[in-house]
């Protein structure tokens, strides 16, 4: 494809549709292969399955859905991928290890720790699983999300003569993004770049982007923009790709006194969060007790119809008809009142396709974490709005794409990236960060943000130990700390590097002193891009009695697991160590940006510089740490192949 080729909105959207189709087919094929070929034990380890499970109490929820509680009985420390809204299916093994799948699927309505609640399609489904002692549950292929995204792309492609068509041509085409002239508002509690971003949002008629690098207060800025918009509009919609991200901004808005109606159950389940969900508000409505009684009567009539005579059945059917009419009337009344009272409707992007939102339209849509969202998912929500505000950072983690061909064809390019590239005048960059010591911040600022980030005075020189070096690289080159690929998971592991990291973590805690760590609650993050390395690091820390008092202060996770988080001290195990200089998906530098920028006061990187320095990013990072931090060289220096040391600019 020639670089100057004009890509019209129609061509762009058709490419997105084609790439999404490839991702859909690839993921469906992967699921079928996992179902047929992957054993139960391996699926448990991959977080796709709980087995064995127990069936707990069943009941009808406020939306009149039959739900049942499911608890896992074993492997409770294994991480899982179950979350609200995902489809699941049940199976039994009959003791022979080969799963037999029940002929229905369910949807997760709540999950926390080792308990989940799932909605069942019918009472018959409940009778099938009740009493089973050899029962398991696994993630099912998610057709629903794909259907919603396909429908949204087709709708925007076909749009003509309406607001959706206008937004399509502005966001993807040559139509200019318009602004209204407003006298700038002062927000003394915000810094100048945050204040400018809020004013840009208020002035935008079509689109605005809040680009928030790590630690720059993106959520604070977005909450202020929503709050100020509500002085001008009665109701707005707030979305994000994940339930966790929706919950985070919804909670901040609730703290500001905003009436939020959360569509879809939150992941951070506590009374405060539950109190603004649609289900909880529905149950709390004064008319709900009458509705509950009517629904109960309807179920009782249904179950008793067969036992009645013909004339009795006719009488009961007439009563049933009247009860159903009254139930529908009450449901519509409660629903209307809940939506009328709410100032913010919050849901995931795919959740914007929820039947509860079918007839609703919004003046403004806010999309948080937009740089992690598939473009197709964004269009689901944009179809319900007159203007859109996107917030995020396209220099951090991208959407997860499983099919490499789909990624190459543009599925990994987000709508936020496209708009930022085509309409740079709509972008407000937040430039003052409140998280990192300046020495940690300076390298990602140069590489990813045109050297525009500044450290706030209160964090610029923050540290834990006197005369400490904020950023350290322990170079394992020449020490035969070699990586290996695991046969089962295909993930990479470097055991000697992991053992070295755990030792350095222990030494650093000892230097701070146990008493001070516990008293000040100094927290530590251990990051590796590879799951196998993460699991091994966790096992090392768990087996080491030294770390027992600090368990709650130490988090070990992948880069993806640390998105949106921060810690006082971050240790990163880069794993890759080979003669060919191959670094795999460490080539995706956005991952490394996330890893580095989690650290507030201390960053320790452990890796083979000779392997990693084949890539210019890691070579420059190593040089930077040589100049501004500290490099610990393991082994005999004469046998090391260290990074080149030219001091050319990043």
């Amino acid at each position: 494809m020639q670089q100057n080729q004009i890509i019209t909105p129609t061509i762009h959207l058709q490419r997105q549709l084609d790439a999404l189709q490839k991702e859909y087919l690839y993921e469906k094929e992967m699921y079928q292969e996992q179902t047929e070929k992957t054993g139960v034990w391996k699926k448990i380890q991959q977080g796709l399955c709980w087995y064995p499970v127990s069936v707990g109490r069943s009941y009808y929820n406020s939306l009149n859905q039959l739900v049942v509680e499911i608890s896992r009985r074993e492997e409770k420390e294994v991480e899982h991928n179950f979350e609200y809204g995902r489809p699941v299916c049940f199976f039994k093994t009959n003791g022979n290890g080969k799963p037999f799948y029940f002929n229905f699927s369910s949807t997760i309505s709540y999950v926390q720790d080792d308990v989940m609640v799932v909605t069942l399609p019918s009472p018959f489904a409940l009778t099938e699983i009740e009493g089973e002692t050899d029962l398991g549950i696994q993630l099912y292929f998610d057709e629903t999300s794909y259907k919603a995204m396909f429908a949204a792309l087709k709708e925007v492609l076909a749009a003509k003569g309406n607001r959706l068509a206008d937004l399509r041509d502005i966001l993807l085409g040559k139509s200019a993004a318009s602004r209204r002239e407003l006298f700038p508002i002062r927000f003394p509690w915000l810094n100048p770049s945050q204040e400018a971003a809020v004013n840009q949002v208020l002035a935008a008629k079509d689109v605005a982007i809040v680009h928030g690098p790590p630690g720059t207060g993106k959520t604070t800025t977005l909450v202020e923009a929503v709050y100020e918009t509500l002085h001008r509009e009665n109701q707005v919609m707030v979305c994000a790709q994940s339930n966790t991200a929706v919950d985070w901004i919804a909670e901040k808005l609730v703290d500001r006194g905003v009436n939020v109606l959360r569509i879809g159950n939150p992941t951070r389940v506590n009374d405060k969060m539950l109190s603004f969900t649609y289900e909880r508000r529905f149950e709390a409505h004064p008319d709900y007790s009458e509705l509950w009684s009517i629904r109960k009567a309807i179920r009782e009539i249904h179950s008793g119809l067969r036992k009645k005579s013909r004339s009795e059945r006719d009488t009961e059917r007439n009563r049933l008809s009247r009860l159903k009419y009254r139930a529908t009337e009450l449901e519509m009344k409660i629903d209307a009142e809940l939506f009328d009272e709410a100032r913010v409707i919050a849901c995931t992007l795919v959740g914007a396709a929820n039947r509860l939102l079918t007839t609703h339209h919004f003046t403004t849509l806010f999309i948080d974490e937009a740089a992690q969202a598939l473009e197709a998912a964004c269009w689901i929500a944009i179809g319900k709005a007159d203007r859109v505000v996107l917030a995020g950072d396209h220099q951090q983690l991208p959407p997860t794409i499983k099919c490499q061909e789909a990624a190459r064809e543009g599925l990994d390019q987000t709508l936020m990236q496209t708009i930022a590239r085509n309409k740079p005048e709509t972008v407000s960059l937040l430039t003052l960060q409140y998280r990192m010591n300046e020495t940690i911040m300076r390298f990602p600022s140069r590489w990813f943000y045109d050297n525009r980030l500044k450290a706030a005075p209160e964090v610029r020189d923050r540290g834990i130990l006197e005369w400490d070096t904020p950023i350290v690289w322990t170079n394992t080159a020449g020490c035969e700390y070699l990586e290996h690929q695991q046969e089962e998971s295909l993930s990479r592991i470097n055991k000697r590097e992991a053992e070295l990291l755990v030792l350095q973590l222990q030494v650093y805690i000892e230097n701070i002193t146990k008493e001070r760590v516990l008293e000040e609650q100094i927290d530590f993050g251990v990051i590796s891009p590879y799951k196998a390395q993460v699991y091994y690091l966790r096992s090392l820390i768990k087996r080491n009695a030294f770390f027992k008092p600090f368990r709650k202060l130490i988090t070990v996770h992948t880069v993806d697991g640390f998105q949106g988080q921060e810690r006082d001290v971050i240790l990163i195990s880069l794993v890759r160590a080979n003669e060919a200089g191959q670094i795999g998906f460490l080539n995706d530098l956005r991952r490394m940006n996330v890893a580095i920028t989690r650290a507030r006061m201390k960053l320790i990187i452990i890796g083979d510089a000779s392997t990693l320095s084949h890539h210019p990013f890691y070579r420059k990072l190593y040089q930077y740490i040589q100049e501004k931090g500290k490099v610990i060289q393991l082994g005999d220096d004469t046998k090391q192949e260290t990074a080149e040391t030219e001091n050319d600019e990043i």
Side-chain angles (χ1 to χ4, degrees), residues 424-470:
E425 70 278 7
T426 66
V427 180
S428 300
L429 178 70
L430 305 181
T431 55
L432 189 64
Q433 68 84 23
Y434 300 89
R435 176 185 299 168
M436 293 165 273
N437 177 291
E438 189 175 34
T439 307
I440 298 171
M441 176 210 74
R442 199 174 292 146
F443 182 82
S445 176
R446 287 184 196 172
W447 190 277
F448 296 103
Y449 305 107
D450 299 322
N451 210 20
R452 291 176 66 188
L453 295 192
K454 305 295 176 195
E458 59 265 38
V459 303
R460 187 178 297 141
D461 301 312
R462 72 193 308 185
I464 298 173
L465 297 170
E466 282 191 57
W467 313 111
D468 199 6
T469 309

Side-chain angles (χ1 to χ4, degrees), residues 111-130:
V111 61
Q112 188 176 35
D113 300 329
D114 301 307
V115 177
M116 76 171 87
V117 177
V118 300
T119 61
L120 295 174
S122 67
F124 177 72
L126 179 61
T127 59
E128 281 206 88
I129 61 172
E130 271 185 325

Side-chain angles (χ1 to χ4, degrees), residues 155-172:
E155 184 185 1
V156 71
L157 267 166
K160 198 172 181 180
N162 59 12
R163 185 55 180 159
L164 183 58
D166 293 342
L167 284 174
R168 174 195 63 207
D169 296 338
I170 293 165
L171 303 188
L172 302 176

Side-chain angles (χ1 to χ4, degrees), residues 242-302:
S242 70
N243 279 295
T244 306
V246 177
D247 293 343
W248 180 249
I249 189 164
E251 194 169 354
K252 298 297 179 188
L253 287 164
V254 170
D255 289 342
R256 286 294 294 270
V258 177
N259 188 330
V260 176
L261 185 63
R262 173 72 159 94
I263 308 298
N265 282 351
T267 50
R268 280 200 294 275
V269 181
N270 55 48
D271 287 341
K272 177 183 173 183
M273 295 294 288
L274 279 172
S275 66
F276 60 83
T277 61
Y278 181 87
E279 289 83 350
R280 189 58 66 90
R281 292 270 177 90
F282 200 97
E283 288 174 358
H285 192 278
D287 291 334
Y288 179 70
S289 57
E290 183 189 347
L291 177 60
W292 186 87
S293 300
I294 292 171
R295 285 172 173 173
K296 186 181 178 188
I298 289 170
R299 287 194 294 269
E300 286 170 353
I301 291 171
H302 270 300

Side-chain angles (χ1 to χ4, degrees), residues 437 439-440 462-463 465-473 508 601-604 625 628-631:
N437 177 291
T439 307
I440 298 171
R462 72 193 308 185
L465 297 170
E466 282 191 57
W467 313 111
D468 199 6
T469 309
I471 186 166
V472 174
W473 183 312
Y508 197 68
M601 294 182 264
K602 179 78 172 183
L603 175 66
I604 300 170
I625 296 172
K628 305 293 184 185
K630 178 181 179 183
V631 169

Side-chain angles (χ1 to χ4, degrees), residues 301-313:
I301 291 171
H302 270 300
S303 62
L305 270 178
R306 289 181 184 174
K307 300 170 186 175
K308 305 283 184 181
S309 67
R310 191 169 188 171
S311 62
E312 286 174 324
R313 281 203 295 272

Side-chain angles (χ1 to χ4, degrees), residues 331-354:
E331 283 168 6
M332 289 173 68
K333 178 176 182 280
I334 296 171
D335 181 82
E337 289 180 11
L338 293 183
F339 274 96
D340 287 348
E341 291 167 4
R343 303 296 310 281
V344 169
I345 307 300
C347 62
T348 61
L349 290 163
V350 171
N354 192 301

